[in-house]
Amino acid sequence: MMIYNPKDWWKLIFYFHKADTFRKLLPAMLGVMAYTAVFSYLENDVFHFMPIKNPLAVHSLVGFVLSLLLVFRTNSSYDRWWEGRKIWGSFTNNSRNLALKLNAFLPENHESKEVFRVLIGNYLQAVKDHLRDNTNPKHLAFVNKFDESFYENHKHMPNRIGQAIYLEINQLAKNGLLNPEQLLILNTELTSFTDNLGACERIKNTPIPSSYNIFIKKMIFLYVFTMPIGFVLEFKYWAIPIVTLVFYAFAGIEMIAEEIEDPFGTDNNDLALDTIVKNVKGNLAEILRN
C-alpha cells in the first residue's frame, strides 16, 4: 500500500508511480491517439464525409449511462476494499483482546503465554499468506510441541493454527488453569478469528459477476472507438486529445476498480497487511511477556 499525503496536490498530479493508471494505459492511449489521428486525417483531408446533424448527441447520452455504470462499479469495489479493512481491524483488536485476557488469566511467567504469543502471531501471518496464495510454513515461528512437523501436510494453514490455539486452551482447562467462566469470556475472540477469515475468503473468492465486468469493458471499447465519428466532425484535429483523454478517464476508473476489488494482494492500492501483521506481533510481544 502506498503511503502519501492527500493534501499535496502538485506532487500527486505529477507523480507517476509504477502502479499508476497513466503508465499502465499509456500504450493503449497511444493506440487510441493514432486511431483518432488517422480517422481525422481521412475525414478532414481525404473523404470529407457528409456532415451529420448533432454528431455528439448519441455519445452524450451513452456517456452519461456509462458514467453511472462506472460509478456503481467503483463503489462496489471500494465497498469490498473497505470491508476488508474493517475485517483486518477486527483481527487486530481481537488479537489484542485475546492476549490481554490470557495474560490476566494465566499465572505470571507461565510458559503458555509464549505459546499463545507465537500462535496468535502465526495465525495472522498464515491468514495473510493464505489470502495471497502464498502459504509457506517457513514464514511461521515454532514453539514447543507446535513445531514444523505440526504444520506438515496441511494446505489450509490458518485452520491448523486455529486448531493449535484451541488445543492449548483445552489443555489449560484440563489442568485447572482456566475455569468455565474464563473459557466463555475467551470464546468471543476465538470464534471471531474463523469468522473474519471466512469473511476475507468470501471477498477474495467472489469477484464482481463476469457478465457485468465484461459488459462495462465492451461499452468502454465501443464508446471510445466510435467517438471519432462524431468528434472529428465537430472538433477536427482537436478530437485527437479529446478522445484520448476520455479513454484515459473511463479506462482508468475501470482499472482502479479492478485493483481494489481484491484488497489482500501486494498492489499499491491494496491493504497494508504486512504492516498490520508486524504491528500486531509487536503488541503481542509486549502484552504476553513472561
Side-chain angles (χ1 to χ4, degrees):
M1 183 177 184
M2 185 180 73
I3 306 300
Y4 66 99
N5 179 9
K7 298 181 181 179
D8 194 348
W9 279 56
W10 291 109
K11 183 177 180 180
L12 294 176
I13 290 172
F14 295 105
Y15 178 60
F16 299 102
H17 54 83
K18 64 179 181 180
D20 189 84
T21 53
F22 183 85
R23 286 192 176 185
K24 290 183 176 181
L25 289 172
L26 184 58
M29 290 168 60
L30 293 175
V32 171
M33 188 178 297
Y35 165 75
T36 309
V38 171
F39 197 95
S40 299
Y41 170 74
L42 294 176
E43 160 60 23
N44 294 320
D45 300 323
V46 180
F47 294 111
H48 302 289
F49 297 119
M50 290 293 293
I52 301 174
K53 187 176 181 180
N54 296 327
L56 305 182
V58 174
H59 279 85
S60 297
L61 294 173
V62 175
F64 175 73
V65 175
L66 184 58
S67 298
L68 293 179
L69 288 173
L70 287 173
V71 167
F72 178 78
R73 171 82 164 97
T74 306
N75 286 343
S76 299
S77 296
Y78 182 77
D79 285 343
R80 294 161 62 91
W81 186 93
W82 183 240
E83 184 181 1
R85 183 61 187 90
K86 289 192 293 184
I87 292 169
W88 274 88
S90 177
F91 267 132
T92 300
N93 295 337
N94 292 330
S95 297
R96 293 169 179 165
N97 286 330
L98 180 59
L100 289 167
K101 292 175 181 179
L102 288 169
N103 184 64
F105 294 161
L106 295 176
E108 188 175 356
N109 297 326
H110 194 276
E111 62 179 5
S112 289
K113 290 185 178 182
E114 176 65 13
V115 174
F116 283 115
R117 181 191 69 79
V118 172
L119 290 179
I120 298 172
N122 278 350
Y123 190 86
L124 295 187
Q125 178 70 42
V127 170
K128 182 194 72 172
D129 291 345
H130 174 69
L131 294 174
R132 293 178 176 177
D133 299 319
N134 187 32
T135 298
N136 189 346
K138 294 182 179 180
H139 294 168
L140 308 177
F142 307 113
V143 59
N144 296 348
K145 59 185 176 182
F146 304 114
D147 56 10
E148 191 169 0
S149 62
F150 181 81
Y151 301 105
E152 289 180 352
N153 302 320
H154 284 82
K155 296 182 179 180
H156 200 290
M157 204 59 63
N159 280 349
R160 185 58 170 166
I161 300 171
Q163 183 182 18
I165 294 174
Y166 274 99
L167 288 172
E168 189 68 15
I169 291 285
N170 185 60
Q171 188 61 49
L172 291 173
K174 287 182 177 180
N175 294 339
L177 294 173
L178 292 175
N179 60 46
E181 290 78 12
Q182 291 171 334
L183 289 176
L184 188 61
I185 293 172
L186 295 174
N187 185 63
T188 301
E189 281 73 27
L190 295 173
T191 304
S192 72
F193 285 166
T194 303
D195 291 342
N196 287 339
L197 172 60
C200 288
E201 289 176 333
R202 170 173 50 80
I203 294 174
K204 177 178 175 59
N205 298 327
T206 311
I208 299 296
S210 59
S211 58
Y212 182 78
N213 205 339
I214 293 171
F215 177 75
I216 289 181
K217 288 178 171 57
K218 286 182 177 179
M219 286 299 300
I220 292 175
F221 177 84
L222 292 173
Y223 183 82
V224 171
F225 278 83
T226 56
M227 280 185 69
I229 297 174
F231 279 66
V232 167
L233 295 175
E234 186 73 20
F235 299 107
K236 305 300 181 183
Y237 283 101
W238 281 105
I240 299 172
I242 294 173
V243 173
T244 305
L245 180 61
V246 172
F247 169 75
Y248 171 64
F250 282 173
I253 292 173
E254 172 64 12
M255 287 187 67
I256 292 171
E258 288 177 354
E259 185 172 331
I260 66 175
E261 71 179 4
D262 180 9
F264 307 121
T266 57
D267 294 328
N268 276 38
N269 291 315
D270 289 333
L271 298 174
L273 300 187
D274 293 323
T275 302
I276 294 174
V277 172
K278 180 180 178 181
N279 290 340
V280 173
K281 287 181 178 180
N283 296 153
L284 295 173
E286 290 182 353
I287 296 170
L288 293 172
R289 287 177 179 173
N290 283 329

